[in-house]
């Protein structure tokens, strides 16, 4: 008689903790892992043969902008196809709630396209996500820039007043109470540039009380990156929050090699307070099109443009030549638009990724017409290219940086490990063939080598297509 719903048989388990691969069968009942035992000792109604494959916890994409994409496209193919079973949304100061207005400022449109997906409270937003029955889980941060737009009536080019700071703090507090997992800021972006360190620290105060996380797209990732790290660490300390620095990079040729300054600084700070950072495995970044970023880059590709159709995926220099104008002028004509910026050193990316404080996040931008390939390729690229081919770190450690470490940092309880009692978020992949196929030319292609992906026990991806499982849920702080 079968004691379990499903047995994943004959696989090599990478349990997420970094411990060496071991042969085991994994039993599931409902949405949980219920046993991890010696091969051949368990029976189930369904059997998944994982011979020659690795059985890992589902990957946690800790840096996304999938806030409302998950509502509009609940199958989440670009993430499920990589083995991702949880996306952490609301990064870089950008989120869809809590927001009392009905307009969508330019920066926010990176993650929110439809006004109907905005919500006055986090509770209301989370119920929209649950109602969409997504194939994978979502955990959500509240964006500081969104709070500013709301509390300051869009007049964000200045410091917030004490009254506005209090309003933002109360909104954040309520959202955390309702299950948001933390707050993100994006002091790099115009809507938050005028915010002082004091402002963010004061708004962030409720984080400590709720044991929530602070993530930061820092004010400066170039010349003044050390100053920005100090600012970020101070905000985390004053709020009593655990910190995740977003997409750690040293941007621009003048700053290539400066990981030799930032990484030891992280190592030191990690002894004093809880600090980690996320990294995506590419030398190019992507965000809205900004003139003041162009001079730093070796190359710029357009990822979308609302005013000039047909330019997505093309080099800005070529577009300007065709328009017969300067690059700055072309930039103006394309707006509103997004871009991909080549501005990092490969060695820096590798040293950041392999540092003790790093975990993997894609920072993919889901609505772009020609997105950065990280949206579809991040996790298989780390496993196949960086771990297997370049041997930057062992497979078990690559998996750890996508699962248990991420779950701990973001307080996602009972996820991120193959362990009895934990949720059945699982990725079964072929370690010999797993690799990204998305490129800067053709960025929207599913990875190879991802076999079966389960989220809360249901099949989210199998044999190169969605598996029909729609068991993803909102991972609410304190109630997971
Ligand atoms: Zn960012
Ligand atoms: Cu981001």
């Amino acid at each position: 008689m079968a004691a379990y719903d499903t047995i994943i048989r004959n696989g090599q388990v990478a349990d997420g903790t970094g411990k060496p691969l071991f042969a085991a069968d994994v039993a599931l009942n409902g949405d949980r892992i219920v046993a991890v035992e010696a091969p051949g000792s368990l029976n189930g109604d369904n059997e998944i043969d994982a011979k020659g494959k690795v059985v890992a916890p589902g990957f946690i994409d800790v840096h996304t902008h999938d806030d409302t994409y998950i509502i509009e496209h609940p199958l989440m193919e670009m993430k499920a196809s990589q083995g991702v079973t949880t996306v952490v949304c609301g990064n870089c100061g950008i989120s869809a709630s809590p927001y009392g207005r009905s307009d969508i400022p330019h920066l926010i449109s990176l993650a929110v396209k439809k006004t109907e997906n905005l919500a006055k409270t986090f509770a209301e937003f989370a119920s929209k996500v649950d109602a969409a029955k997504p194939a994978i889980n979502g955990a959500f941060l509240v964006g500081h820039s969104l709070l500013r737009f709301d509390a300051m009536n869009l007049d964000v080019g200045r410091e917030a007043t004490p009254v506005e700071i209090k309003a933002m703090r109360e909104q954040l507090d309520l959202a955390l109470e309702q299950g948001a997992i933390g707050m993100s800021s994006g002091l790099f972006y115009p809507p938050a540039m005028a915010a002082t360190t004091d402002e963010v620290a004061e708004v962030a105060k409720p984080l400590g009380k709720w044991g929530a996380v602070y993530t930061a797209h820092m004010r400066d990732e170039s010349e003044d990156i050390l100053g920005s790290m100090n600012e970020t660490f101070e905000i985390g300390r004053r709020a009593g929050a655990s910190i995740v620095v977003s997409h750690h990079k040293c941007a621009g040729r003048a700053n290539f090699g400066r990981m030799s300054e930032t990484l030891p600084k992280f190592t030191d700070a990690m002894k004093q307070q809880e600090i980690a950072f996320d990294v995506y495995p590419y030398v190019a970044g992507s965000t809205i099109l900004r003139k003041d970023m162009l001079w730093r880059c070796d190359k710029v590709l357009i990822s979308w443009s609302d005013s000039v159709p047909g330019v997505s995926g093309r080099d800005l220099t070529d577009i300007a030549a065709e328009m017969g104008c300067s690059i700055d002028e072309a930039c103006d004509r394309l707006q509103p638009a997004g871009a991909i910026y080549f501005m990092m050193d490969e060695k820096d990316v590798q040293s950041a990724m392999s540092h003790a404080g790093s975990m993997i996040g894609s920072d993919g931008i889901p609505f772009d017409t020609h997105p950065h390939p990280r949206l579809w390729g991040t996790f298989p690229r780390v496993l196949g290219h960086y771990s297997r081919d370049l041997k930057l770190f062992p497979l078990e450690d690559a998996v750890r940086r996508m699962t248990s470490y991420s779950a701990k940092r973001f307080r996602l309880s009972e996820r991120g490990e193959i362990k009895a009692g934990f949720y059945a978020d699982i990725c079964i992949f072929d370690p010999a063939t797993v690799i990204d196929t998305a490129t800067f030319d053709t960025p929207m292609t599913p990875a190879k080598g991802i076999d079966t992906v389960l989220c809360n026990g249901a099949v989210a991806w199998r044999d190169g297509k969605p598996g029909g499982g729609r068991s993803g849920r909102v991972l609410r702080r304190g109630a997971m």
Side-chain angles (χ1 to χ4, degrees):
M1 246 206 335
Y4 303 107
D5 293 347
T6 302
I7 304 289
I8 302 169
R9 203 179 278 298
N10 300 324
Q12 291 289 318
V13 174
D15 73 356
T17 64
K19 126 179 184 194
L21 289 175
F22 58 95
D25 290 351
V26 179
L28 319 179
N29 267 347
D31 63 358
R32 300 279 181 162
I33 297 167
V34 287
V36 182
E37 299 286 343
S41 58
L42 305 171
N43 289 307
D45 293 332
N46 296 307
E47 302 228 342
I48 298 176
D49 183 14
K51 192 170 168 46
K53 311 260 161 51
V54 168
V55 180
F59 307 140
I60 299 170
D61 188 348
V62 295
H63 192 117
T64 86
H65 297 285
D66 299 338
D67 304 63
T68 67
Y69 190 90
I70 196 170
I71 299 173
E72 293 185 40
H73 305 271
L75 297 182
M76 293 290 283
E77 287 98 330
M78 79 295 195
K79 295 295 166 71
S81 62
Q82 298 183 55
V84 170
T85 53
T86 297
V87 286
V88 175
C89 306
N91 278 285
C92 302
I94 304 163
S95 66
S97 81
Y99 191 61
R101 310 179 60 88
S102 57
D103 39 36
I104 304 176
H106 179 38
L107 178 67
I108 304 301
S109 76
L110 200 128
V112 186
K113 295 295 178 196
K114 296 181 178 169
T115 54
E116 73 214 50
N117 290 331
L118 293 164
K120 221 175 161 57
T121 64
F122 180 77
E124 187 191 332
F125 173 75
S127 65
K128 288 176 201 272
V129 177
D130 278 332
K133 295 197 186 319
I136 64 175
N137 304 311
F140 298 86
L141 302 156
V142 168
H144 166 247
S145 291
L146 188 85
L147 294 175
R148 293 194 110 223
F149 281 122
D150 199 36
M152 301 170 76
N153 287 314
L154 303 186
D155 180 22
V156 292
R158 57 175 177 84
E159 253 178 73
T161 65
V163 174
E164 290 160 342
I165 289 174
K166 181 165 177 281
M168 290 190 259
R169 186 171 52 231
E170 287 170 1
Q171 285 296 322
L172 174 65
D173 190 40
L174 180 63
L176 294 170
E177 184 180 351
Q178 295 175 344
I181 62 162
M183 183 184 91
S184 72
S185 65
L187 303 183
F188 168 78
Y189 291 109
M193 267 177 188
T196 59
T197 308
D198 280 340
E199 173 188 321
V200 187
E202 283 302 312
V203 173
K205 280 264 160 71
L207 294 174
K209 168 175 124 195
W210 295 108
V213 188
Y214 171 55
T215 75
H217 181 156
M218 299 193 297
R219 205 181 282 280
D220 192 321
E221 296 178 301
S222 302
E223 284 69 34
D224 191 31
I225 188 161
L226 300 178
S228 284
M229 288 172 70
N230 288 336
E231 178 180 41
T232 306
F233 299 170
E234 180 186 337
I235 292 167
R237 266 196 314 271
R238 288 171 61 179
S242 139
I243 298 169
V244 178
V245 169
S246 295
H247 40 58
H248 181 44
K249 67 172 79 69
C250 297
R253 281 200 173 269
N255 299 296
F256 283 12
R258 292 190 62 201
M259 287 286 168
S260 64
E261 299 168 51
T262 61
L263 295 178
K265 193 172 168 68
F266 272 113
T267 306
D268 279 351
M270 285 166 69
K271 292 174 194 151
Q272 318 297 322
Q273 53 186 134
E274 203 182 348
I275 296 177
F277 55 86
D278 62 73
V279 181
Y280 49 78
Y282 298 88
V283 294
S286 181
T287 182
I288 46 178
L289 178 60
R290 259 175 72 169
K291 242 191 266 184
D292 62 346
M293 288 178 68
L294 302 178
W295 68 274
R296 256 185 223 298
C297 299
D298 292 350
K299 183 162 100 170
V300 176
L301 303 175
I302 297 303
S303 54
W304 61 276
S305 163
D306 273 356
S307 28
V308 185
V311 293
S312 295
R314 298 190 50 206
D315 195 314
L316 179 60
T317 314
D318 298 339
I319 298 169
E322 218 164 86
M323 286 176 163
C325 65
S326 71
I327 290 187
D328 272 11
E329 168 74 24
C331 207
D332 287 335
R333 291 196 207 169
L334 293 169
Q335 294 289 5
I340 296 166
Y341 304 90
F342 289 78
M343 56 176 173
M344 283 170 255
D345 179 34
E346 174 66 29
K347 269 210 209 100
D348 279 349
V349 173
Q350 293 187 19
S351 41
M353 222 188 304
S354 43
H355 186 267
S358 97
M359 58 188 129
I360 307 301
S362 71
D363 200 10
I365 308 176
F367 289 108
D368 285 9
T369 40
H370 188 100
H372 187 304
R374 64 193 183 184
L375 181 66
W376 285 80
T378 292
F379 292 82
R381 181 172 170 80
V382 171
L383 293 170
H385 178 63
Y386 284 104
S387 171
R388 180 189 60 225
D389 297 346
L390 299 188
K391 303 187 168 37
L392 190 61
F393 33 59
L395 175 127
E396 294 89 336
D397 192 44
V399 170
R400 184 186 64 84
R401 294 171 189 277
M402 307 172 171
T403 57
S404 74
Y405 189 53
S406 323
K408 284 201 185 82
R409 290 309 177 206
F410 283 88
R411 316 282 191 251
L412 308 176
S413 53
E414 300 178 327
R415 307 216 180 240
E417 286 182 48
I418 299 289
K419 184 176 175 179
F422 272 43
Y423 286 98
D425 291 351
I426 294 171
C427 172
I428 304 171
F429 65 93
D430 183 342
T433 62
V434 66
I435 197 72
D436 57 313
T437 69
T439 64
F440 288 96
D441 288 331
T442 51
M444 296 164 78
T445 54
K448 285 190 185 140
I450 302 292
D451 188 76
T452 303
V453 182
L454 299 139
C455 180
N456 297 310
V459 181
W461 187 264
R462 177 181 275 165
D463 300 330
K465 51 182 191 302
R470 302 284 293 270
S471 295
R473 49 183 85 137
V474 174
L475 307 186
R476 291 170 173 81
R477 193 202 53 74
M480 290 166 190

